[in-house]
């Protein structure tokens, strides 16, 4: 699969953009474990043109993570164009537009999936951004606003006509948020449209090698994007690519690395707060008997040294023979 001049190889598997998740450390671990392309956290166009430091930091790219896409979101065409030009200066391989975020603070203000209720504006933003930059522009969106308005087949054509280089479809409507099962049959209908010639990337509920195979063989997509299954497990791409779980000790090494790099990138207090989302869901701790009190300690430990000691203890006690 190619996006513009970027060759991602056959059956690429990509790391989805996720706010407060896909920071540089997370992206590099995913890349090292087989992710064919990674996406930054999504970037607010309004905050970017106001030069908000916490937002501009999201544009930092390590050469080792390429190919990498920076994703932006916003609701006004002129602001999105300004932001796109700023992003282009950061030299990503791809600029992605977020028309899929369903959370109220984004969609409720007319950005992200909120633009599924204003298709003319969505298309204007897309055309204007495509015309404003020289790097490939892609779009990520959903099936529609709600189950009565699954407009993605027609919308995919319209977005293609705006000049985008690829399209990612999450198999839910905005009203579904992240509930229910992703509708891959609907994603397949988009791919079956003979008028759609750009690559189609499918997204939604991908967590196992079998699901990856189904996405390609049964639903016919050109690429697969992995989101929530990677939270707490950026090494999941190793298993998805090889059908073999990564050695648990290496997983623990990556977890310790995430903690250290989070603390180094932010500070000890906020760095620990940032990493707790990963600690809460990592599969490393699933199946450990009588783990409730230990989990509480993990999520309440306030300093990096104590947290690392606790993680070492868990590894030694439950994975010593792995």
């Amino acid at each position: 699969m190619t996006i513009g001049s970027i060759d991602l190889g056959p059956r690429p598997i990509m790391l989805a953009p996720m706010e407060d998740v896909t920071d540089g450390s997370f992206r590099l671990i995913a890349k090292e474990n087989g992710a064919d392309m990674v996406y930054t956290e999504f970037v607010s166009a309004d905050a970017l043109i106001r030069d908000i430091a916490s937002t501009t930091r999201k544009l930092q790219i390590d050469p080792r993570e390429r190919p990498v896409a920076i994703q932006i979101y916003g609701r006004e065409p002129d602001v999105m164009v300004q932001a796109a030009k700023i992003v282009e200066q950061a030299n990503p391989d791809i600029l992605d537009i977020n028309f899929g975020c369903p959370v109220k603070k984004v969609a409720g203000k007319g950005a992200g999936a909120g633009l599924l209720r204003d298709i003319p504006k969505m298309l204007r933003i897309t055309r204007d951004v495509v015309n404003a930059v020289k790097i490939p522009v892609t779009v990520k969106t959903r099936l529609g606003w709600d189950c009565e308005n699954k407009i993605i087949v027609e919308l995919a054509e319209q977005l293609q006509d705006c000049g985008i280089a690829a399209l990612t479809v999450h198999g839910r409507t905005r009203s579904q948020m992240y509930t229910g099962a992703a509708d891959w049959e609907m994603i397949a209908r988009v791919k079956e449209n003979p008028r759609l010639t750009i690559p189609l990337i499918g997204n939604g509920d991908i967590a196992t090698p079998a699901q990856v195979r189904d996405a390609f063989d049964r639903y016919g997509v050109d690429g697969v994007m992995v989101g929530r299954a990677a939270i707490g497990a950026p090494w999941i791409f190793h298993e998805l690519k090889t059908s073999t779980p990564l050695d648990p000790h290496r997983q623990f090494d990556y977890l310790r690395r995430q903690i250290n790099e989070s603390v180094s990138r932010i500070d000890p207090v906020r760095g620990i707060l940032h990493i707790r989302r990963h600690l809460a869901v990592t599969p490393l701790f699933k199946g450990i008997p009588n783990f409730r009190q230990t989990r509480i300690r993990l999520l309440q430990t306030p300093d990096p040294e104590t947290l690392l000691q606790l993680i070492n203890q868990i590894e030694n006690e439950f994975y010593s023979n792995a």
Side-chain angles (χ1 to χ4, degrees), residues 6-8 24 27-32 34-40 59-70 87-95 135-136:
I6 301 163
D7 187 355
L8 298 174
R27 297 195 304 268
L28 271 176
I29 294 173
K31 185 69 177 180
E32 292 166 11
D36 293 293
M37 187 162 74
V38 296
Y39 288 67
T40 65
L59 304 185
Q60 296 175 359
I61 294 171
D62 187 312
R64 294 172 294 173
E65 64 184 282
R66 293 188 182 278
V68 59
I70 294 177
V87 167
E88 187 174 32
Q89 295 305 306
N91 197 30
D93 299 283
I94 289 167
L95 169 63
I135 57 176

Side-chain angles (χ1 to χ4, degrees), residues 8 57-60 123 127 134 155 164 167-168 189 193 201 216 233 249 292:
L8 298 174
R57 281 196 295 269
K58 293 180 181 179
L59 304 185
Q60 296 175 359
L123 298 177
R127 281 192 300 269
K134 294 183 173 60
L155 178 59
I164 64 172
L167 174 66
T168 301
R189 285 182 56 190
N193 182 356
I201 302 161
F216 288 113
H249 294 296
R292 183 174 181 273

Side-chain angles (χ1 to χ4, degrees), residues 85-132:
K85 291 178 178 178
I86 296 170
V87 167
E88 187 174 32
Q89 295 305 306
N91 197 30
D93 299 283
I94 289 167
L95 169 63
D96 190 66
I97 305 176
N98 181 319
F99 292 140
C101 179
V103 300
K104 186 175 181 179
K105 69 177 182 179
V106 175
K109 294 180 179 179
L115 283 155
L116 287 164
R117 293 194 292 183
D118 192 343
I119 299 304
K121 181 183 272 192
M122 177 193 286
L123 298 177
R124 181 184 168 192
I125 288 172
T126 305
R127 281 192 300 269
D128 289 355
V129 169
V130 167
N131 292 332

Side-chain angles (χ1 to χ4, degrees), residues 252 284-292 294-295 314 318-319:
F252 272 99
L284 265 175
F285 305 143
K286 290 183 178 178
I288 295 178
N290 305 312
F291 194 69
R292 183 174 181 273
T294 304
R295 183 183 300 278
I314 295 168
F318 298 101
Y319 290 93

Side-chain angles (χ1 to χ4, degrees), residues 166-186:
L167 174 66
T168 301
V169 175
H170 181 106
R172 290 181 174 87
T173 64
R174 188 273 172 178
S175 64
Q176 287 179 276
M177 302 293 285
Y178 296 102
T179 62
D183 186 351
W184 279 81
E185 296 289 348
M186 196 72 187

